[in-house]
Amino acid sequence: MCSSPIQERRPRSTAATKSISLLGVAAGFGVYLATAVAGLAAVFVLVPALYTVVKLAGAGYLLWLAWGTVRPGGGSPFTPAPLPPDRPRRLFTMGLVTNLLNPKIAILYVSLLPQFVEPARGQVAAQSLLLGLTQIAVALSVNAMIVLSAGALAGFFARRPLWLRVQRWVTGTALAALAVRIAADRSRAAVAVP
C-alpha cells in the first residue's frame, strides 16, 4: 500500500522519494512498539471500545481504497499517471496513518513479544524493544523491496491493459473483503500470558 501513492504522485521516482512513505510506516511501527514496551498498548485490552474504533477506522480506510480502484473512472495503483507531486510531509503522513490504523500491530507486540522475553535475564523492556526492532527491520526490508519493485510492476501492467483491469478488480475485491472481515470480526483484543 505504501508504494502506490509514491509511485503515482512523484514525478521523479527515486529510491529516496519512494522511501518517504516507508519512513512513515516505520514511525507507525515505532509508535506501537514504544507503547507496547511501556505497557500502554494493553489499553486496547482494557478499553475494547478504543480497539473497535481503531479497527473500524482501518476497515473504513480499506473500503475507501477498494472503492478507488473499482469505481467508474477509478484507477489502479499501477497505472502511471501525471499527478502533481505530494510534499514529503504528506507522503510520510500517509505511511504513518496507514500503519496507525492497524491496531493489530499493537496487539501483535503486546501478545507476541512476551512469548520471547525471558524475565530471568532481566531488562524485560530492553528485550521487548530489541525483539520489536528486529520485527520492524524485517517488515521494512520486505516493504522496501515492494516499494523499489513498484516501478517495474507499473511498466508491466501499462503494457498489458487486460492485466491492469484484472489487477484493479482483484485488488479492489481483496481490499473490500479484508475490510468487511475486519469490520465483522467480533473478537476482542487479547494479551497472551507468557
Side-chain angles (χ1 to χ4, degrees), residues 5 10 13 19 30 33 45 50 63 86 108 110 112 121 138 146 194:
R10 300 304 297 181
S13 186
S19 299
L33 177 60
V45 176
L50 179 61
L63 282 174
D86 281 323
L108 171 100
V110 171
L112 188 63
R121 296 181 78 188
V138 170
I146 293 168

Side-chain angles (χ1 to χ4, degrees), residues 91-107:
L91 294 172
F92 180 87
T93 301
M94 285 190 292
L96 176 66
V97 170
T98 298
N99 209 358
L100 290 179
L101 286 177
N102 184 0
K104 291 188 179 191
I105 294 170
I107 300 305

Side-chain angles (χ1 to χ4, degrees), residues 2-170:
C2 65
S3 63
S4 61
I6 295 169
Q7 184 64 31
E8 287 182 357
R9 299 184 184 272
R10 300 304 297 181
R12 289 181 303 275
S13 186
T14 66
T17 59
K18 290 179 178 181
S19 299
I20 294 170
S21 185
L22 189 56
L23 289 174
V25 171
F29 277 130
V31 167
Y32 276 135
L33 177 60
T35 58
V37 169
L40 299 177
V43 168
F44 281 148
V45 176
L46 299 173
V47 185
L50 179 61
Y51 176 78
T52 301
V53 166
V54 173
K55 180 176 78 167
L56 292 176
Y61 179 65
L62 289 175
L63 282 174
W64 178 74
L65 290 174
W67 174 247
T69 61
V70 299
R71 69 178 166 80
S76 166
F78 298 108
T79 304
L83 297 173
D86 281 323
R87 294 177 184 233
R89 182 177 179 172
R90 177 166 163 74
L91 294 172
F92 180 87
T93 301
M94 285 190 292
L96 176 66
V97 170
T98 298
N99 209 358
L100 290 179
L101 286 177
N102 184 0
K104 291 188 179 191
I105 294 170
I107 300 305
L108 171 100
Y109 287 154
V110 171
S111 63
L112 188 63
L113 292 183
Q115 305 300 319
F116 298 98
V117 171
E118 296 179 33
R121 296 181 78 188
Q123 300 181 348
V124 171
Q127 288 182 59
S128 296
L129 185 62
L130 182 59
L131 288 168
L133 290 173
T134 302
Q135 183 277 327
I136 291 171
V138 170
L140 292 179
S141 297
V142 170
N143 285 324
M145 287 187 276
I146 293 168
V147 166
L148 295 174
S149 65
L153 283 172
F156 171 84
F157 285 119
R159 292 185 303 272
R160 294 163 180 86
L162 176 62
W163 278 91
L164 191 58
R165 241 184 345 266
V166 168
Q167 181 275 329
R168 277 183 57 211
W169 282 96
V170 167

